[in-house]
Amino acid sequence: MKISDARVVVSSPGRNYVTLVIETGDGVIGVGDATLNGRELAVAAYLRDHVCPLLIDRDARRITDTWEYLYRGAYWRRGPVTMTAIAAVDMALWDIVGKSAGLPVHQLLGGAVRDGVMVYGHASGTDLDALEADFSAHVDQGYLAVRAQCAIPGLDSTYGVSKSGAYEPAGGSRPAQDVWDTGLYLDFAPKMMARIRDSFGDRVHLLHDVHHRLSPIEAARLGRSLEPYRMFWMEDPTPAEDQSAFKIIREATTTPIAVGEVFNSIWDCQELITNRWIDYIRTSVTHAGGITHLRRIFSLAELYGVRTGSHGPSDLSPIAFAAALHLDLTVPNFGIQEHMNHPAGAEQVFDTSAEFRDGYFHPGDEPGLGVTFDEEAAARFPYNRKYLPVNRRLDGSVHDW
């Protein structure tokens, strides 16, 4: 089953997506997500100029060999651009093999160990009343777990909070300039969680994203202040590059810790997992080398009692979400899966068999990943350059966004 064609499609049905399409000589087509928000064209060029020519005439069934060939063979390893490109190839090959075998990918991975994948939604508000209303709407939709983000009084903008409609941080031909103050945040965050618990009790899992903004000591203080509210997790409390920082946080608080959406390989999270400094690993199928490599990360995490909580925002396409669901369904140490609705227009380009019911998603039993990609429809949505914001402290210095 030789690969006869590999092509890259960049489209923007509501937001930018990079899709890799691989076709075999006998007409089987597989698709993979290669989206890197704000740096989409870098991955598209890497695939188009360097990877796609190497795929022609390779056996599509040799998934692991192709992964090793692209990772080790390039010499320049890791990094978000390289690993996102490899991930797209990996997803597309799993899709091809599943379609060829007439089986969904989760069957190829050993079969389901659960009936569905618990997901969490994103609730936010410009004030506590608005947050409570949005949180209630998510509960009414059937979510068993909800992330809570609220505008911080005294700041013009807050990560994770939309002033109207769905939250979309990327936008404009230049990055937006957000302003940040750690003191205001640390004082407000416990009040936010107290409001949610007072209104909803403990019947819904409660999550919160710090988004890499604190020092280890500040994160430790936050974790302690949130302990009364039985958090499912606090996410990305400090910049993720410094793995040893999490030792300080772990020793100071019992609030569960989740991290990893910016990680690209097993080496980025090795110390965090083996030292048990985190409770959930959030690496994503698109940015951590695809199903093949993410499965290795999850297997390492299983040995140390760390559960999965994969990144799954709307800036990853429905292909990525489907691939994540197939893997989630099969790993014993699954914890939770992030879910955001894709923008209007995406359904014209991506048709998926995944279904949401009673707080759980299932990828469906269609062969392969269960996603159909319409290239003609994608052509109607040209690329639209957008950037994620840049964060600055009150004194004007750049801070982690």
Side-chain angles (χ1 to χ4, degrees):
M1 193 160 56
K2 296 295 181 79
I3 296 171
S4 60
D5 186 36
R7 54 192 181 271
V8 180
V9 180
V10 181
S11 62
S12 188
R15 66 184 311 162
N16 294 319
Y17 296 114
V18 180
T19 305
L20 176 66
V21 181
I22 297 179
E23 190 167 354
T24 67
D26 49 357
V28 181
I29 294 177
V31 292
D33 181 41
T35 307
L36 185 62
N37 194 4
R39 296 294 186 269
E40 299 91 354
L41 298 186
V43 185
Y46 189 94
L47 282 166
R48 187 181 295 117
D49 298 339
H50 302 291
V51 174
C52 289
L54 300 177
L55 297 177
I56 306 305
D57 290 332
R58 291 188 62 85
D59 188 338
R61 295 167 297 187
R62 298 185 64 177
I63 298 174
T64 302
D65 182 69
T66 297
W67 196 98
E68 296 288 333
Y69 177 76
L70 295 176
Y71 179 80
R72 299 180 188 276
Y75 184 70
W76 308 107
R77 302 179 184 180
R78 301 163 62 182
V81 173
T82 296
M83 296 303 281
T84 300
I86 293 174
V89 175
D90 189 75
M91 279 182 259
L93 295 185
W94 279 105
D95 193 26
I96 286 171
V97 172
K99 289 174 179 175
S100 178
L103 295 172
V105 167
H106 65 261
Q107 292 286 5
L108 303 180
L109 296 173
V113 297
R114 57 187 48 81
D115 296 327
V117 173
M118 184 172 70
V119 298
Y120 69 90
H122 291 204
S124 70
T126 53
D127 56 33
L128 290 175
D129 289 340
L131 170 61
E132 181 177 338
D134 197 25
F135 199 99
S136 180
H138 280 77
V139 173
D140 291 344
Q141 291 169 37
Y143 284 96
L144 304 175
V146 183
R147 192 186 83 171
Q149 311 288 138
C150 187
I152 301 169
L155 297 181
D156 291 336
S157 61
T158 302
Y159 166 77
V161 177
S162 174
K163 295 182 179 179
S164 62
Y167 177 61
E168 171 53 81
S173 59
R174 289 286 189 274
Q177 300 280 330
D178 288 353
V179 178
W180 175 255
D181 183 82
T182 298
L184 292 176
Y185 168 71
L186 289 176
D187 290 342
F188 180 70
K191 299 174 185 176
M192 179 187 356
M193 302 312 160
R195 174 67 174 266
I196 294 299
R197 284 302 187 213
D198 286 346
S199 299
F200 297 93
D202 295 328
R203 62 191 177 95
V204 181
H205 295 302
L206 178 58
L207 302 85
H208 177 66
D209 188 358
V210 185
H211 221 246
H212 314 283
R213 302 191 174 201
L214 303 179
S215 70
I217 292 299
E218 291 165 347
R221 175 185 162 194
L222 175 65
R224 283 188 176 182
S225 71
L226 297 182
E227 285 178 4
Y229 310 112
R230 290 184 54 190
M231 304 295 296
F232 190 91
W233 75 36
M234 64 173 181
E235 176 185 336
D236 295 339
T238 66
E241 298 94 326
D242 183 3
Q243 295 189 45
S244 63
F246 288 81
K247 180 177 186 292
I248 298 172
I249 308 170
R250 166 63 85 208
E251 292 174 347
T253 180
T254 59
T255 296
I257 303 166
V259 73
E261 69 182 52
V262 298
F263 291 160
N264 308 127
S265 79
I266 198 169
W267 309 109
D268 296 330
C269 51
Q270 180 186 14
E271 289 185 58
L272 291 170
I273 291 171
T274 58
N275 288 306
R276 304 176 192 264
W277 290 339
I278 60 172
D279 301 277
Y280 296 89
I281 182 65
R282 299 202 65 248
T283 41
S284 74
V285 68
T286 296
H287 301 147
I291 292 171
T292 297
H293 193 65
L294 189 57
R295 194 182 188 191
R296 295 173 183 171
I297 294 173
F298 288 172
S299 293
L300 175 66
E302 182 186 0
L303 294 177
Y304 294 90
V306 175
R307 300 171 71 187
T308 74
S310 284
H311 188 45
S314 58
D315 58 57
L316 300 180
S317 83
I319 298 170
F321 186 65
L325 291 178
H326 282 282
L327 184 56
D328 292 337
L329 207 63
T330 67
V331 294
N333 57 322
F334 169 77
I336 200 167
Q337 170 68 51
E338 182 177 19
H339 171 250
M340 291 180 69
N341 290 320
H342 288 91
E347 73 280 356
Q348 298 180 46
V349 178
F350 305 93
D351 182 43
T352 176
S353 62
E355 293 184 345
F356 177 70
R357 185 172 58 252
D358 300 327
Y360 295 86
F361 255 99
H362 194 285
D365 292 311
E366 294 294 320
L369 294 175
V371 180
T372 301
F373 176 64
D374 188 332
E375 290 189 60
E376 291 186 3
R380 298 197 296 268
F381 298 95
Y383 173 73
N384 183 14
R385 187 186 305 278
K386 292 183 179 181
Y387 288 96
L388 293 171
V390 171
N391 217 19
R392 293 186 182 272
R393 301 180 185 89
L394 293 177
D395 66 2
S397 57
V398 175
H399 189 55
D400 296 286
W401 182 75

